[in-house]
Amino acid sequence: MKAVRTDRELECPGIDAGLRARGVELVTLPDGIPEADLIAAVADADLILMCYTPITARVIDAATKLKGIVKYGVGIDAIDILAAMRRGIPVVNIPEYAEESVAEGALALMIALAKRLPAITAAVSRDGWIWPEQRWLGRDISGATLGLVGCGKIGRSMARMAGQGFRARVLGFDPNVDAAAMRQAGIEKVENLQSMLHVCDFVSIHCVLNEATRGLIGRAELARMKPSAILINVSRGALIDETALVEAVVEKRIGGVGLDVYSQEPLATLGHPMSALFGRDNVILFPHLTFYTVEAMRRLEEDTLARCFEILDGRPVTIRSLDPRLRAQTAGVVFG
C-alpha cells in the first residue's frame, strides 16, 4: 500500500508513524507542489491525505489505484468531490477534532483586540511603560453584542463562551439553524445579516465555504458595521471580500480585525493582497493556527488514522460530517 500526504509543513508525526507501522509506503509532499508533480506522485497511490493542497479532477483521474481521499482537517472545498464520486472513491474529513479549540482561538482574538493588547504590548516593548491615556482605552465584552455568522458547533461553542462566560448578548445569522436550536445555545436568531451587523460590537464568522457563502461579508455588509466593531474570521478567508476588508481597515471604517484564515495562504509582508494590514495595532494576523493545540492534534491524528485504516482495509469509511457534499456519497461510506 502507498499513501501520499500533502502539506507536510503541518507536522503530523502520529499519522506518519501510524501509517508506516502498518507497512504503508508513505510519501510526504510540500505545500504548493505543482499539480504535475502531484499527479506523478499519486499515480500508484492507494490513499491521498491532504490538508490545503487542491485535489483536482486531474489528480484524482491520474491516481488509478486510489481507494480514498482523507482531509486531515475540516474544510473540503479544495477537493473535487464530484470527480471522486464519479470513480466511486470515498472522500472523508475530520470534522470534530478542533471545535472547542477554534472557538477558543476566536474568543482569544476577540479579547485581545477588545483589550487593545497588540497596541499596548507593542508600546510597552518599545517604551518600557505607558500611562492610561485615552488612546489605550479597551472595551468590555460583558454587556456588548456579539454577532455570529454561522451557528454550527464552533459557533455555538463561541456563543457559550461569550454568553455564559462573559455575559455578552449573542445574536446569530444562519439560515440552516432554526430559532429553537439557537435559543437552546443561548443565541438570538436574526433573519437578516445586514440588520445584525448594524447592531453588533463584535462579529465572528463560523460558516463553511461554498458557492452560497463565498464573499458573504462584502462591501455592503462591512458598510453596515459600526466604525468601532471588531470582526473575527477563523473559518475561511474567501467568506470575506478581502479587498473591501483591507480598504475598510485602512480607511478606519471598522474598529479592528482578527484573522486566522486567508484566501491566499501563506501570507507575506509584501506583495500579498493582505500585506497592507501588517503592523497595524488594531489588526491580528494569525497564521491559520487556532486549531493547533496539543489536545486537538492528538484527536486529529487518532481520527485520521482510523479513517485511513478503514479505507486501506477495504471497509466503508465513516463520515461524521453533516456537509451535504460528503453526505451525497453512496460508494464506500457509512454515516456515523
Side-chain angles (χ1 to χ4, degrees):
M1 294 286 187
K2 176 181 175 181
V4 172
R5 181 169 78 83
T6 68
D7 312 294
R8 66 184 176 212
E9 290 80 2
L10 174 48
E11 297 178 358
C12 297
I15 294 174
D16 297 348
L19 288 171
R20 288 179 174 133
R22 285 285 298 261
V24 176
E25 176 192 353
L26 177 64
V27 176
T28 61
L29 302 174
D31 175 69
I33 186 171
E35 185 185 52
D37 294 343
L38 179 56
I39 285 173
V42 303
D44 60 345
D46 299 278
L47 184 64
I48 295 175
L49 295 87
M50 61 78 67
C51 191
Y52 309 120
T53 297
I55 306 299
T56 64
R58 290 185 61 205
V59 171
I60 293 168
D61 291 341
T64 56
K65 294 176 58 183
L66 191 61
K67 296 178 175 63
I69 300 170
V70 178
K71 163 64 185 273
Y72 57 103
V74 181
I76 55 172
D77 40 281
I79 305 172
D80 192 327
I81 296 174
L82 291 178
M85 289 175 63
R86 284 196 294 269
R87 287 192 48 201
I89 296 169
V91 177
V92 63
N93 67 347
I94 312 299
E96 300 169 335
Y97 79 100
E99 291 165 353
E100 292 287 298
S101 306
V102 172
E104 287 180 8
L107 186 68
L109 291 173
M110 189 171 84
I111 294 170
L113 289 165
K115 304 305 179 183
R116 307 228 43 218
L117 298 187
I120 292 172
T121 55
V124 172
S125 295
R126 182 183 64 246
D127 302 328
W129 189 252
I130 60 172
W131 294 100
E133 304 168 25
Q134 290 287 309
R135 58 178 169 156
W136 306 124
L137 273 172
R139 295 163 58 191
D140 288 342
I141 295 170
S142 175
T145 299
L146 166 65
L148 300 174
V149 182
C151 298
K153 291 183 178 179
I154 297 176
R156 285 180 237 188
S157 291
M158 179 75 165
R160 186 192 72 247
M161 295 173 190
Q164 296 180 26
F166 287 82
R167 293 184 296 170
R169 178 191 182 197
V170 183
L171 308 180
F173 172 79
D174 191 328
N176 300 309
V177 180
D178 63 35
M182 286 197 192
R183 189 162 49 249
Q184 188 173 12
I187 305 168
E188 301 174 41
K189 183 176 176 66
V190 177
E191 299 291 348
N192 183 277
L193 175 59
Q194 292 197 14
S195 296
M196 183 183 81
L197 296 175
H198 187 58
V199 299
C200 289
D201 302 295
F202 304 96
V203 176
S204 193
I205 303 175
H206 300 282
C207 53
V208 299
L209 176 64
N210 54 40
E211 290 311 308
T213 60
R214 187 177 298 274
L216 183 64
I217 305 297
R219 292 182 187 278
E221 287 72 29
L222 291 167
R224 290 289 290 170
M225 294 178 65
K226 296 179 180 180
S228 59
I230 290 171
L231 177 64
I232 306 296
N233 186 14
V234 295
S235 294
R236 285 294 180 269
L239 294 165
I240 301 176
D241 180 338
E242 292 174 325
T243 300
L245 177 62
V246 170
E247 292 173 0
V249 173
V250 171
E251 296 170 8
K252 299 181 180 180
R253 291 185 278 107
I254 188 171
V257 178
L259 303 175
D260 185 44
V261 289
Y262 314 89
S263 293
Q264 181 181 320
E265 296 181 3
L267 286 176
T269 55
L270 296 173
H272 188 281
M274 309 293 279
S275 294
L277 296 186
F278 278 89
R280 295 181 177 274
D281 63 14
N282 63 339
V283 174
I284 297 177
L285 302 176
F286 212 63
H288 205 150
L289 286 182
T290 53
F291 74 93
Y292 198 57
T293 69
V294 170
E295 295 81 4
M297 288 304 294
R298 181 173 60 247
R299 291 188 291 266
L300 176 65
E301 292 189 328
E302 290 173 353
D303 288 355
T304 297
L305 282 176
R307 303 292 80 77
C308 288
F309 294 158
E310 287 172 345
I311 293 169
L312 294 175
D313 291 345
R315 292 177 281 143
V317 64
T318 304
I319 306 293
R320 290 205 173 99
S321 171
L322 299 180
D323 192 303
R325 293 170 292 181
L326 294 179
R327 291 270 162 173
Q329 298 179 99
T330 57
V333 298
V334 62
F335 299 107

